[in-house]
Amino acid sequence: MNKRQIPLIFGFLFICNFIHATDIKINSLNELAKYAAESGNTIIMAPGVYQMEDYLTADVVRNTKPDEIRRYAMIKFSGNNNIFDFTGVTIEVNTKLLSVFKSRVSEFYVSGNNVHIKGLTVTDIGNHPTFSGGHSFTVAGDDVRIEKVTLYVSGSSPYGYGDLLGKGDANLATLKKHSGMCIEGLNDTIIDCAIYSKAFGHLFFVQGGRNVLFENCYAEGVIRTTDKMLAETSGLAYDVNFAAVYKNYEGKKIITPGYTKSMNECGFRMYGKGGVKGITTGAVTAINCKAKNTRIGFAFGKVTDDILIKDSEAVGCEVGYYLTGVKVENSRGDMVNGPLLYVTKGEVSDVELALISNDSKTTVHLLAGIAGENHKVTIKKEGDLTKGKVLPIKIGTTSPTANNGFSPLGKAPTSGILLTNLTGMPVELNAVSSSCKIITNGEVTDKGINNEIVKN
């Protein structure tokens, strides 16, 4: 199926499903929760600002049941064949509520099929961390359409240091993540949605989703320099003497000055599987999407089916694009806070990117790192790059631990790469590179074997 046809097909399906739907007007979250569990209706909520705490009483909490993997929902859309029109509606969630279930929690959880949610704004109030993690939105049903939904996310710990205090085992501080929107279903479409996150967690991400389409979506995080972290006189980093879980170039596990970190995780992210049944992730497409100030703009890797990024952009990220087995068309990004691109070993990637800025105020070590076999990568430039930093494209080079900017780069045997470099930036082929073809308008250093250099 042509991914660009998905919105038209979904539109036809929704028209068929809802020809006989009943229009119901509501003006409270209690009514919303009631009809979210029923099927075959069009629900129109009166414009206004609603408070989740007015609905999520002790009785509601006590009677709420988790899903099969112990995730609770504040409001669960379990009904099928429904349309929810939230135009003009904002639901505010006091972040104190993120801990009332004493488990993982989703503010909104769509488990029903053929559900269309449009026009909703969700705003987290305060910064009380989740009890043990969770999402603002979980989309687990099939044939779900989320349209013009905006999430303002907060409520995590630690916050203010990115992943430097840990994000898995051996954390230096207790981890309580709060992510944005998780997609787990089949044929789900996310259109014209935006997430603004002031929490440690992913923004848009796929775990077990198949044939997922993101179109015209925007993910924005927050950046902070390591110098500002080191200037603190209290806080979680201060309490551990500014230790980090990652080694720097000197082999020390400390927060290192001179770098910029995102306070969030990825703007758009894929995992190998997920959901209550641990289903393998399938095809994912992102068209005209943008990530700003996130740890990685687009972290996509092929699991089973085709992965496409088209007409998209990553700016201000620690890494713009981190790819395995992905096709990228007509997309762009910068190297202001970190590399534009890493292409990794594994499935073959075909990448077409434009570098739009090299105006970095803090330390960045390279424009791109490419490792593996038979990737095709074209990097051109847009705009004036004469006043910024000159950084190399490195062939045979892998990303540092967790893509952390102040950690040392790695290397891996690399062959058969076709690189077209139109940025004017230098290219470096290391000793483990071989049989690569480099078409370039920049300087080349070749320490590899049987590489072909063509000056453009």
Side-chain angles (χ1 to χ4, degrees), residues 395 417-419 421 426-430 433-456:
I395 308 297
I417 303 301
L418 174 58
L419 170 67
N421 170 36
V427 177
E428 298 177 4
L429 297 101
N430 65 19
S433 67
S434 63
S435 303
C436 298
K437 183 175 182 179
I438 310 300
I439 303 169
T440 182
N441 61 358
E443 297 298 318
V444 178
T445 301
D446 183 7
K447 297 180 180 180
I449 301 171
N450 295 328
N451 295 311
E452 179 185 356
I453 312 301
V454 178
K455 285 298 186 77
N456 192 322

Side-chain angles (χ1 to χ4, degrees), residues 26-85:
I26 62 172
N27 60 10
S28 73
L29 293 184
N30 290 74
E31 292 176 295
L32 173 59
K34 174 184 181 298
Y35 288 109
E38 298 182 3
S39 298
N41 296 308
T42 295
I43 309 301
I44 304 170
M45 196 164 192
V49 179
Y50 298 81
Q51 308 296 328
M52 183 63 78
E53 57 196 317
D54 293 341
Y55 162 72
L56 201 65
T57 63
D59 284 342
V60 171
V61 171
R62 187 164 44 251
N63 291 310
T64 299
K65 305 299 182 184
D67 69 8
E68 294 92 326
I69 53 176
R70 300 295 299 172
R71 297 182 302 188
Y72 288 80
M74 294 182 184
I75 293 181
K76 191 168 188 177
F77 295 81
S78 57
N80 302 315
N81 304 322
N82 288 321
I83 295 175
F84 295 87
D85 187 345

Side-chain angles (χ1 to χ4, degrees), residues 162-324:
D163 56 358
L164 292 179
L165 301 184
K167 58 186 179 70
D169 296 334
N171 294 334
L172 298 173
T174 301
L175 182 62
K176 300 178 178 181
K177 293 169 58 173
H178 187 192
S179 296
M181 185 181 294
C182 180
I183 315 302
E184 302 174 356
L186 172 68
N187 296 331
D188 293 335
T189 303
I190 317 300
I191 292 185
D192 294 325
C193 292
I195 300 177
Y196 300 84
S197 179
K198 294 182 178 179
F200 185 69
H202 297 300
L203 285 77
F204 295 98
F205 63 116
V206 181
Q207 290 183 325
R210 289 90 64 214
N211 203 26
V212 175
L213 172 67
F214 297 101
E215 188 168 6
N216 302 329
C217 291
Y218 180 76
E220 182 175 325
V222 179
I223 56 170
R224 191 182 186 208
T225 65
T226 53
D227 296 74
K228 288 186 177 179
M229 298 177 199
L230 293 167
E232 291 184 347
T233 57
S234 64
L236 293 174
Y238 179 87
D239 291 343
V240 295
N241 296 317
F242 300 105
V245 295
Y246 309 127
K247 291 181 179 179
N248 63 14
Y249 276 82
E250 297 177 352
K252 298 177 180 179
K253 288 187 174 182
I254 58 173
I255 297 175
T256 303
Y259 292 82
T260 297
K261 294 287 294 182
S262 172
M263 301 300 94
N264 318 91
E265 293 194 287
C266 302
F268 296 85
R269 173 76 155 95
M270 284 179 58
Y271 285 88
K273 62 182 180 179
V276 296
K277 298 180 180 178
I279 294 173
T280 300
T281 300
V284 177
T285 298
I287 298 177
N288 195 33
C289 293
K290 182 175 181 178
K292 180 179 180 180
N293 296 345
T294 60
R295 189 176 72 201
I296 303 174
F298 296 83
F300 280 8
K302 183 176 181 179
V303 182
T304 54
D305 301 312
D306 291 343
I307 309 298
L308 172 66
I309 301 171
K310 183 176 180 180
D311 300 333
S312 293
E313 185 172 307
V315 295
C317 301
E318 286 186 56
V319 175
Y321 299 81
Y322 185 91
L323 309 173
T324 304

Side-chain angles (χ1 to χ4, degrees), residues 100-122:
V100 296
F101 294 104
K102 301 190 183 306
S103 185
R104 289 190 293 164
V105 62
S106 296
E107 294 168 15
F108 301 88
Y109 187 140
V110 184
S111 61
N113 300 323
N114 294 312
V115 176
H116 183 185
I117 294 174
K118 61 182 179 180
L120 178 63
T121 297
V122 180

